[in-house]
Amino acid sequence: MSEGSWSVRANGVWLCVETFGEARDPAILLIGGATADMEWIDRALCQRLADGGRFVIRYDHRDTGDSTKYELGNPQYGFDEMVADAAALLEAIAVPRAHIAGMSMGGAIAQRLALDYDHLVETLTLISTSPALRPCAPPYPDLPAMSPELAELFSGPDAAPGHNHWMIDPGEDYRARLRHIAAPALVIHGMRDPLFPPGHGAALAREIPGSRLLLLDGVGHEMAPPERWDEVIQAMLRHTADAATGA
């Protein structure tokens, strides 16, 4: 458990959560990718956002970090429950509405939150993700394929699932619903993302009305390397501030 983190009961499980900044400031919920605990979202990045006047929240997904875990191969939950976890977490820590920023699978959770829990969502920041991404579901054929190196890694003889996140029910195909997202969206995507090539980010920005697209040269499948934090943090602060002014 991280210093300053604690566990809350949400959606019937224990989720480990950590916050940065002042609770009176606008909240940003940061959601990590599949199999990733909250430490994958760098503490210094969280603090920089907090220094910019945001109340930053990060947490361990179920089956990661210090949150509730399940026997490998028997997750007893699906993607729908992971979406509901994020919504219930905000309620558990008394945040009525938040800016949602998700990376990879966390970006998919953010998309579903904006559709199914829109009363909780102020804005979206979608990082290194894909339109209507669903864990364990086949990729959409109209989107660019992952790099050959990754495809070989995922299909090789040693590619058996090693984590419950790769075994869960993916839930509904919600891509046709993306056009109904009302929350302002900022799409951030690395030009060297081998898992979701930049065409995924471009498609996502097209399919969510009014989205802004920020492409990062030299960046792969990641939140953003520290040398790009100035650009990314300023974009996120500006995006979340614009929601308050209606810009």
Side-chain angles (χ1 to χ4, degrees):
M1 187 174 293
S2 301
E3 181 181 352
S5 62
W6 72 99
S7 290
V8 298
R9 191 74 173 168
N11 195 31
V13 296
W14 289 101
L15 298 177
C16 187
V17 60
E18 184 175 22
T19 62
F20 302 78
E22 301 294 333
R24 65 176 178 269
D25 288 333
I28 296 182
L29 176 65
L30 302 178
I31 309 176
T35 78
D37 62 29
M38 63 180 163
E39 295 296 337
W40 283 87
I41 303 174
D42 197 291
R43 177 184 297 272
L45 175 63
C46 296
Q47 190 59 56
R48 291 266 309 263
L49 288 167
D51 292 342
R54 304 293 181 269
F55 179 55
V56 180
I57 307 153
R58 66 177 188 170
Y59 71 101
D60 292 333
H61 292 296
R62 58 171 82 195
D63 258 330
T64 73
D66 290 302
S67 292
T68 294
K69 294 186 178 63
Y70 299 81
E71 177 186 5
L72 182 62
N74 186 27
Q76 302 178 43
Y77 62 91
F79 186 57
D80 289 351
E81 283 70 37
M82 297 189 75
V83 175
D85 286 351
L89 174 63
L90 290 175
E91 180 179 0
I93 61 175
V95 173
R97 195 168 171 86
H99 303 280
I100 312 296
M103 183 263 179
S104 195
M105 185 186 75
I109 291 173
Q111 293 170 58
R112 282 284 306 277
L113 284 171
L115 289 167
D116 299 340
Y117 301 89
D118 59 301
H119 62 287
L120 299 176
V121 178
E122 195 74 52
T123 67
L124 294 176
T125 300
L126 306 172
I127 304 168
S128 296
T129 191
S130 183
L133 174 65
R134 297 188 299 150
C136 309
Y140 294 105
D142 63 304
L143 296 174
M146 70 178 71
S147 72
E149 294 79 11
L150 274 185
E152 182 178 357
L153 180 65
F154 287 150
S155 62
D158 298 324
H163 195 286
N164 280 333
H165 286 180
W166 302 130
M167 306 178 200
I168 62 175
D169 184 296
E172 66 163 310
D173 184 338
Y174 58 99
R175 189 173 180 187
R177 298 173 60 205
L178 293 180
R179 67 182 184 274
H180 298 303
I181 290 178
L186 169 66
V187 178
I188 302 175
H189 212 97
M191 292 294 288
R192 291 189 177 180
D193 190 328
L195 182 58
F196 302 126
H200 288 249
L204 187 55
R206 286 195 304 270
E207 293 175 38
I208 297 178
S211 298
R212 304 176 187 177
L213 177 61
L214 173 60
L215 295 173
L216 301 176
D217 289 335
V219 174
H221 189 71
E222 53 193 319
M223 283 289 291
E227 60 269 20
R228 305 303 294 272
W229 282 0
D230 285 347
E231 182 178 5
V232 168
I233 289 169
Q234 285 305 310
M236 291 178 68
L237 292 176
R238 184 167 54 249
H239 177 60
T240 52
D242 285 348
T245 62

